[in-house]
């Protein structure tokens, strides 16, 4: 389930204001709803000042109140015990942001308050900005002036400023996009990248930036450069085609001929090469983003796509399983190795393996894979059945139904049936570079009988962190009868991880424990080699394509294979709508969406099933 502080339910913000209401009337309306839903007193929650209290004392300036509320959100983003307080604070922040001037004040405080190394810094900045008033030309002009890109500022403010511009870019379209991609902004992005590219700067005849000796300062520079690369990627994804082509022309050529500086292509190429061997952390993320920008938009002459280069082709040929571009959600990025996934979309994206396992899969009843954390934010890693609904916009991913389970080391819990279970979590909070182990063990009786119609079959899911395993008594049971499970992971924005499915070319870092109940019938290695033949020829061909092309071809195949009377589902607009609802008989939905409905969306008749 997506973080409650980041993914908001629509009914919490379904406020109806009169057309003539100003910001003060809107604030009072939110205040009344806040009082009725959460019983908010004039003193706020736990020392959080209530800016909308009609008779409360406003000690200090409004800026100080905003700073205190933002600190509360940052410190309690993963604390579900304070969920009501977080909602109250968000109501107040979004109420203040209903008009332009208070909105700019909130942004000004926000740029200094979100820590530079916070695992959800980009999500928090985007959450506050997306709750503000609709941007106008005047607001964007004042916002760009507020950033102060030409004046010295802290690394924290620089990173948050770039993140805020990316958040605004996600809300704009058309001609308004040009009000963000100013020459001053592009020059600032260029300088933040150039600080990490001494070779490209020297080749242009300039003196390279001096690298700081303090490791913390070097890490902060890396975070700012990562935010700059993410901003370029956001521009490429959100701009319309004319604006994108115009921006590419400006990036490819120096707009000011009198200024001698390395091109963006030279900077990204050096970043890709310099940090290409990094295994995790911001350096790894920056290298992957540079590869994506060079392959997709700024490819220099003679460059071969990273997906088609010999190292990527040979590495994909040696592993026994890959991530599936056809089953993963559309916005998740599968990197050239076929084993690494990244998400920069605002939803809860899910990466799914191409192979599934179940009762009678090969000669093995124990299945195991590992995940190395490139980032350490909100992710749910585990096993998901082939029928698990993966709905990114609603925050539904691995562990949010009865046939899936996941570990979440950022919020220190396990996820099953959409509920948190902190009692089964026995480890510290995970960190960058940690290795998560996921074991699925089918019961011995079920494996030996192999009777799909028998009742009582189960599979036990266990997890480990850096080789430290949970006890057998804390295993989560999943239904094994007629079920097929796949390794999967759901990721919040700016998260990245790398799968390891075993095999001779890529051995596991840690081996799972031996179970007395099943050790006698384990005759094959605990990897996915036995299931490699289960991937269809069409999926095998798509696995060799870059993820944008694979997703595009997947959508084309759906339109070609669907029957003329079965269009795409009217809810998800992705899968074929080939289900008939009973008893009303309406059609147009897929099986996944139909399973989540209690009433027909067309006639509101209570459903008895579907066929």
């Amino acid at each position: 389930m997506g973080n409650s502080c980041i993914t908001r339910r629509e009914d919490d913000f379904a406020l109806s204001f009169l057309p003539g209401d100003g910001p003060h009337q809107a604030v009072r309306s939110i205040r009344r709803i806040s009082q009725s839903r959460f019983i908010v007193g004039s003193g706020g929650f736990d020392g959080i000042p209530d800016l909308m209290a009609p008779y409360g004392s406003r000690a200090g300036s409004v800026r100080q109140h905003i700073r205190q509320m933002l600190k509360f959100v940052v410190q309690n983003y993963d604390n579900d015990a304070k969920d009501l307080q977080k909602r109250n604070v968000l109501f107040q922040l979004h109420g203040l942001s209903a008009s332009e001037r208070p909105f700019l004040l909130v942004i000004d405080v926000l740029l200094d308050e979100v820590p530079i190394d916070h695992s959800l810094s980009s999500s928090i900045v985007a959450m506050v900005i997306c709750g503000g008033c609709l941007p106008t030309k005047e607001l964007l002009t004042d916002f760009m002036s507020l950033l102060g890109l030409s004046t010295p500022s802290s690394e924290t403010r620089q990173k948050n400023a770039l993140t805020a511009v990316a958040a605004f870019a996600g809300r704009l379209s058309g001609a308004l996009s040009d009000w963000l991609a100013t020459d001053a902004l592009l020059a600032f992005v260029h300088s933040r990248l150039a600080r990490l590219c001494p070779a490209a700067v020297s080749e242009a005849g300039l003196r390279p930036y001096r690298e700081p000796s303090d490791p913390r300062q070097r890490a902060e520079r890396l975070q700012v450069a990562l935010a700059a690369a993410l901003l370029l990627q956001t521009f490429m994804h959100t701009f319309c085609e004319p604006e994108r082509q115009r921006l590419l022309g400006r990036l490819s050529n120096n707009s000011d001929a009198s200024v001698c500086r390395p091109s963006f292509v030279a900077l990204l190429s050096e970043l890709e090469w310099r940090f290409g061997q990094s295994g995790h952390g911001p350096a790894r993320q920056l290298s992957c983003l540079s590869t994506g920008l060079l392959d997709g938009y700024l490819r220099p002459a003679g460059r071969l796509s990273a997906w088609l280069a010999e190292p990527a082709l040979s590495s994909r040929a040696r592993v026994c399983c890959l991530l599936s571009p056809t089953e993963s959600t559309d916005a998740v990025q599968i990197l050239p190795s076929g084993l690494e996934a990244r998400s920069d979309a605002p939803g809860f994206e899910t990466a799914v393996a191409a192979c599934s396992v179940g009762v009678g899969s090969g000669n093995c009843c124990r299945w195991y894979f590992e995940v190395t954390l490139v980032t350490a934010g909100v992710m749910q890693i585990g096993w998901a059945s082939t029928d698990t609904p993966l709905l990114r916009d609603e925050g539904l991913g691995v562990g949010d139904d009865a046939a899936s389970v996941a570990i979440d080391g950022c919020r220190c819990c396990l996820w099953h049936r959409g509920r948190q279970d902190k009692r089964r979590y026995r480890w510290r909070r995970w960190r960058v570079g940690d290795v998560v182990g996921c074991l699925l063990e089918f019961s011995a009786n079920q494996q030996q009988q192999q009777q799909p119609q028998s009742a009582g079959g189960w599979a036990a899911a266990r997890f480990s962190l850096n080789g430290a395993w949970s006890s057998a008594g804390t295993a989560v049971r999943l239904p094994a009868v007629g079920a097929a499970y796949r390794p999967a992971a759901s990721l919040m924005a700016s998260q990245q991880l790398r799968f390891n499915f075993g095999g001779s070319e890529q051995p596991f870092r840690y081996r799972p424990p031996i179970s007395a109940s099943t050790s006698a019938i384990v005759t094959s290695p605990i990897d996915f080699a036995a299931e490699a033949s289960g991937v269809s020829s069409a999926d095998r061909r798509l696995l060799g394509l870059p993820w944008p092309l694979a997703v595009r071809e997947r959508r084309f195949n759906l339109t070609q294979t669907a029957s003329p009377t079965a269009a795409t589902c009217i809810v998800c607009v992705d899968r074929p709508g080939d289900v008939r609802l009973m008893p009303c008989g309406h059609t147009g939905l897929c099986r996944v969406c139909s399973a989540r409905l209690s009433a027909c969306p067309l006639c509101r008749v209570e459903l008895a099933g579907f066929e």
Side-chain angles (χ1 to χ4, degrees):
M1 183 71 69
N3 188 277
S4 59
C5 187
I6 306 302
T7 57
R8 301 163 295 164
R9 288 181 285 184
E10 293 185 11
D11 57 343
D12 291 337
F13 299 91
L15 310 179
S16 57
F17 303 134
L18 296 178
D21 282 353
H24 297 291
Q25 289 83 354
V27 166
R28 286 196 293 269
S29 299
I30 298 177
R31 169 63 187 169
R32 289 193 298 269
I33 293 178
S34 180
Q35 284 182 322
S36 63
R37 290 177 63 88
F38 305 129
I39 316 179
V40 180
S42 60
F45 283 113
D46 294 343
I48 299 302
D50 194 350
L51 296 181
M52 301 171 191
Y55 306 107
S57 174
R58 299 192 180 188
S61 65
V62 176
R63 180 182 291 270
Q64 292 174 343
H65 293 330
I66 296 174
R67 181 177 293 110
Q68 191 172 357
M69 288 191 294
L70 289 174
K71 285 184 177 179
F72 180 83
V73 172
V74 170
Q75 294 172 359
N76 297 278
Y77 75 100
D78 59 345
N79 188 354
D80 292 323
K82 295 183 180 293
D83 185 61
L84 295 182
Q85 294 94 319
K86 287 186 292 185
R87 291 177 182 272
N88 175 62
V89 170
L90 289 177
F91 271 124
Q92 297 187 46
L93 288 174
H94 293 156
L96 284 174
S97 304
S99 56
E100 292 187 1
R101 292 304 168 188
F103 186 28
L104 291 174
L105 177 60
V106 171
I107 294 176
D108 189 25
V109 178
L110 177 70
L111 299 182
D112 294 321
E113 288 304 319
V114 180
I116 191 172
D117 56 349
H118 198 282
S119 59
L120 279 179
S121 59
S122 60
S123 298
I124 294 175
V125 172
M127 172 191 61
V128 175
I129 289 180
C130 291
C133 58
L134 292 177
T136 61
K137 293 181 179 180
E138 292 77 12
L139 175 61
L140 293 180
T141 302
D142 295 339
F143 167 69
M144 297 304 293
S145 301
L146 175 68
L147 298 181
L149 301 178
S150 59
T151 59
S153 59
S154 64
E155 301 288 345
T156 298
R157 188 175 179 88
Q158 293 177 27
K159 179 191 175 182
N160 292 334
L162 294 170
T163 306
V165 176
F168 268 111
R171 302 184 65 189
L172 300 176
S173 62
L176 280 179
S177 303
D178 290 337
W179 288 78
L180 287 178
T182 61
D183 291 338
L185 176 64
L186 295 182
F188 181 76
V189 171
H190 184 280
S191 65
R192 301 307 93 179
L193 296 176
R195 293 192 301 179
L196 301 180
C197 302
V201 174
S202 300
E203 188 176 348
L206 303 176
R207 179 181 298 178
Y209 291 89
R210 186 175 62 181
E211 185 173 355
S213 57
D214 187 0
R216 180 176 178 82
Q217 293 181 358
R218 292 198 299 268
E220 290 179 347
R221 283 194 174 188
L222 193 61
Q223 291 280 0
V224 176
L226 177 61
L230 281 170
L231 177 59
L232 291 179
Q233 178 180 265
T234 303
F235 281 163
M236 298 304 168
H237 289 176
T238 59
F239 280 17
C240 299
E241 188 61 26
E243 286 77 16
R244 185 187 300 117
Q245 294 300 325
R246 191 157 52 243
L247 177 61
L248 288 174
R250 296 166 61 189
L251 295 178
S252 301
N253 305 301
N254 288 332
S255 57
D256 188 354
S258 63
V259 178
C260 179
R261 62 183 186 184
S263 64
F264 276 94
V265 173
L267 296 179
L268 294 174
S269 299
E270 182 172 348
L271 291 173
E272 179 189 28
W273 168 80
R274 180 180 180 183
F275 301 113
Q277 300 302 319
S278 301
H280 47 75
R284 177 63 181 174
Q285 297 180 73
L286 187 56
S287 175
C288 295
L289 288 173
S290 301
T291 300
L293 289 170
L294 291 172
D295 279 353
Y297 306 99
L298 294 167
R299 182 182 301 178
R303 174 186 171 90
L304 186 65
S305 171
W307 279 83
L308 303 177
E310 180 58 32
L313 291 175
S314 59
S315 65
R316 290 200 299 268
R318 289 195 301 268
V319 298
C320 46
C321 185
L322 296 170
L323 299 179
S324 173
T326 60
E327 299 297 332
S328 303
T329 54
D330 291 350
V332 69
Q333 302 180 33
I334 299 177
L335 302 181
S337 65
L339 298 173
E340 196 164 352
R342 176 177 178 83
S343 173
D344 292 307
F348 205 38
E349 304 296 334
T350 302
V352 180
C355 301
S356 60
V357 300
V359 177
S361 297
N363 297 318
C364 192
C365 66
R366 305 176 74 215
W367 300 93
Y368 173 71
F369 71 95
E370 291 178 343
V371 171
T372 301
L373 304 180
V374 180
T375 60
V378 174
M379 295 177 282
Q380 295 175 197
I381 305 169
W383 298 90
S385 74
T386 53
D387 296 327
T388 296
L390 304 175
L391 305 178
R392 58 183 184 183
D393 294 330
E394 298 186 20
L396 296 180
V398 186
D400 292 330
D401 71 334
S404 64
V405 62
I407 182 175
D408 182 353
C410 182
R411 292 175 284 190
C412 299
C413 65
L414 300 185
W415 286 93
H416 183 51
R417 298 179 179 270
R419 303 187 186 95
Q420 288 185 344
D421 188 349
K422 294 183 177 292
R423 295 179 297 104
R424 298 175 188 262
Y425 191 88
R426 304 296 178 87
W427 309 271
R428 58 164 173 80
R429 176 177 291 185
W430 60 28
R431 302 167 186 165
V432 171
D434 284 347
V435 177
V436 178
C438 303
L439 174 67
L440 187 67
E441 182 178 5
F442 292 93
S443 62
N445 294 335
Q446 185 73 14
Q447 175 70 17
Q448 290 171 344
Q449 295 172 2
Q450 295 187 10
Q451 297 176 359
Q453 302 301 324
S454 63
W458 54 271
R462 296 172 60 187
F463 299 95
S464 69
L465 185 65
N466 297 328
W469 281 91
S470 60
S471 62
T474 62
V476 179
R477 291 194 174 189
L478 299 174
V481 178
Y485 292 96
R486 300 173 297 187
S490 299
L491 301 82
M492 288 288 288
S494 302
Q495 302 304 315
Q496 185 172 333
L497 46 75
R498 182 169 58 255
F499 285 79
N500 181 7
F501 298 116
S504 57
E505 296 292 337
Q506 193 175 15
F508 291 125
R509 289 276 303 275
Y510 305 97
R511 302 293 292 186
I514 298 298
S515 174
S517 61
T518 59
S519 58
I521 59 175
V522 174
T523 58
S524 62
I526 308 177
D527 57 31
F528 285 81
E531 287 298 301
S533 59
V535 183
S536 65
S537 58
D539 281 346
R540 283 184 178 278
R541 191 175 63 82
L542 288 178
L543 288 172
L545 295 177
W547 70 270
L549 299 180
V551 169
R552 190 179 309 162
E553 183 157 342
R554 171 198 175 191
R555 292 174 176 172
F556 176 78
N557 292 338
L558 285 176
T559 61
Q560 298 300 311
T561 57
S563 62
T565 58
T568 56
C569 175
I570 61 176
V571 176
C572 65
V573 199
D574 186 12
R575 307 174 189 85
D578 53 359
V579 168
R580 181 183 299 274
L581 303 179
M582 303 301 291
C584 61
H586 284 124
T587 60
L589 279 76
C590 65
R591 292 186 175 274
V592 175
C593 295
S594 300
R596 302 183 64 251
L597 296 177
S598 59
C600 175
L602 302 178
C603 63
R604 297 300 180 184
V605 172
E606 184 176 356
L607 296 180
F610 57 86
E611 59 182 15

